[in-house]
Amino acid sequence: MPSIGLGTVNINGSQGIKSVLTAIKAGYRLIDTSTNYNNEGMVGEAIRRADIPRDELIISSKLPGEAHSYDQAVNMIQESLYRIGIDYFDKYLIHWPLPKQGKYVEAWQALIDAQKFGLIQRIGVCNFLPEHLDNIINKTGVRPVTNQIERHPYFNNNDVVNANKERGILSEAWSPFGRELNDVLTHSKIEEIARKHGKDPAQIIIRWNVQNGVLPVVKSSDYRHQQANLQVFDFELTKEEVQEIDALDKGESGRVEGQHPNEYEEFH
Ligand SMILES: NC(=O)c1ccc[n+]([C@@H]2O[C@H](COP(=O)([O-])OP(=O)(O)OC[C@H]3O[C@@H](n4cnc5c(N)ncnc54)[C@H](OP(=O)(O)O)[C@@H]3O)[C@@H](O)[C@H]2O)c1
């Protein structure tokens, strides 16, 4: 599994194909899409045009909330594959638990079976709290490989990162830069640490994730940013610097859009 993934929110159409191709050229191998992003077709077209063997790419998509019942989930996975134009997903995740709907265990069972049918290689979840993780593990005996969660310096989500670790689940960080909805990339502490290492703030945040064993899923459609975001393996943050970044956490109010997994519902 690569250490850094490419996010694709708002990367669409012919311009999107160019962005995914430059990202692959820069070295990204994990492409994170979702039915909800309306760009699975674009991702498929980009990977067909890329000069990279299919087995070197990790293509990951997500099950939308509208398809949590078993039959709908199995159909949705197949429809996503047809849209992308590939035979199998390297990774496929439940996008949100929607606990008020009470169907995420059913959805998880559909992913387990889709994996048995060969439609998916690795199955995982997003935005699951520890109680949701325990529920699916206890009811099915199958543990997700990944839990993709909101994580950036203003909302480090360390409790869930630790809960994932305890269960042997890889944490992925979504919106690592706060999706430009917050000012984390210009925070004075991050800029100070960046200056010390001769790096830019984005690289500091990516490194903070990597050093914590978290895989950041970073969106960029700018080739220079795409390249820079991978240049994080030639320096190390000190323990104190990691703690200083952790200390920027604002708790629940730090979430970019207040999307608490027990409350937030997204269907399409
Ligand atoms: N599972 C979930 O529920 C969930 C939810 C949200 C997101 N996600 C995933 O996580 C991915 C990332 O999150 P996100 O798209 O919300 O936002 P993000 O990665 O936090 O931020 C993206 C923004 O940062 C800018 N940026 C990238 N590299 C930069 C650099 N080196 N210097 C300065 N600015 C830079 C980008 O601009 P440029 O394009 O100009 O570089 C873009 O505007 C998504 O695309 C998606 O794949 C998953």
Side-chain angles (χ1 to χ4, degrees):
M1 187 62 64
S3 310
I4 299 167
L6 179 76
T8 63
V9 164
N10 296 329
I11 298 187
N12 303 80
S14 57
Q15 204 53 45
I17 292 174
K18 285 184 193 157
S19 296
V20 173
L21 284 173
T22 57
I24 291 173
K25 186 175 160 198
Y28 293 83
R29 294 294 177 266
L30 166 55
I31 318 279
D32 182 84
T33 178
S34 169
T35 297
N36 289 3
Y37 303 164
N38 287 319
N39 63 9
E40 288 172 315
M42 176 281 290
V43 169
E45 185 57 24
I47 63 175
R48 274 187 295 282
R49 291 192 200 175
D51 195 16
I52 291 285
R54 170 71 184 90
D55 62 4
E56 286 181 23
L57 293 168
I58 307 281
I59 307 302
S60 182
S61 193
K62 311 190 188 84
L63 183 76
E66 65 177 305
H68 272 202
S69 60
Y70 183 89
D71 289 345
Q72 284 177 311
V74 172
N75 284 333
M76 187 60 79
I77 293 162
Q78 293 173 87
E79 290 296 338
S80 282
L81 284 170
Y82 301 148
R83 270 192 297 275
I84 300 197
I86 54 180
D87 299 331
Y88 64 91
F89 281 114
D90 303 273
K91 205 146 54 115
Y92 195 84
L93 316 173
I94 297 177
H95 206 147
W96 285 90
L98 307 181
K100 291 180 191 173
Q101 303 298 319
K103 287 189 186 163
Y104 64 83
V105 178
E106 209 178 312
W108 184 239
Q109 189 60 55
L111 265 64
I112 293 169
D113 291 343
Q115 186 180 34
K116 285 187 194 141
F117 304 151
L119 301 180
I120 309 173
Q121 288 196 336
R122 303 170 187 83
I123 55 177
V125 296
C126 305
N127 303 304
F128 271 42
L129 298 175
E131 66 255 34
H132 309 138
L133 294 172
D134 290 339
N135 202 16
I136 57 172
I137 295 169
N138 293 337
K139 296 233 168 82
T140 66
V142 181
R143 186 181 57 175
V145 293
T146 292
N147 187 13
Q148 187 180 104
I149 55 173
E150 177 172 358
R151 175 175 153 87
H152 43 80
Y154 293 166
F155 184 71
N156 64 39
N157 223 339
N158 276 343
D159 289 348
V160 179
V161 170
N162 290 333
N164 289 339
K165 252 182 219 158
E166 283 162 15
R167 290 161 181 75
I169 298 168
L170 172 70
S171 298
E172 295 184 6
W174 62 255
S175 294
F177 305 147
R179 203 188 296 171
E180 290 186 335
L181 292 173
N182 65 33
D183 60 356
V184 74
L185 281 176
T186 53
H187 189 280
S188 57
K189 178 51 76 180
I190 307 277
E191 286 185 332
E192 180 195 313
I193 296 172
R195 271 194 302 277
K196 271 197 228 159
H197 290 278
K199 290 285 177 181
D200 64 40
Q203 292 168 319
I204 298 301
I205 293 174
I206 293 172
R207 181 73 205 181
W208 167 70
N209 276 297
V210 170
Q211 264 182 241
N212 277 296
V214 176
L215 188 160
V217 179
V218 184
K219 181 257 160 180
S220 176
S221 37
D222 176 313
Y223 185 46
R224 282 162 310 166
H225 287 165
Q226 290 172 345
Q227 288 177 299
N229 293 344
L230 295 179
Q231 305 306 313
V232 298
F233 298 99
D234 54 357
F235 75 106
E236 197 166 346
L237 299 173
T238 64
K239 202 173 154 201
E240 291 69 32
E241 287 167 339
V242 169
Q243 285 167 351
E244 284 173 338
I245 299 172
D246 281 342
L248 301 179
D249 183 68
K250 299 178 180 183
E252 278 301 316
S253 67
R255 290 184 188 271
V256 279
E257 291 191 287
Q259 296 166 325
H260 191 289
N262 271 337
E263 298 302 324
Y264 181 68
E265 299 201 311
E266 178 179 284
F267 294 96
H268 303 288

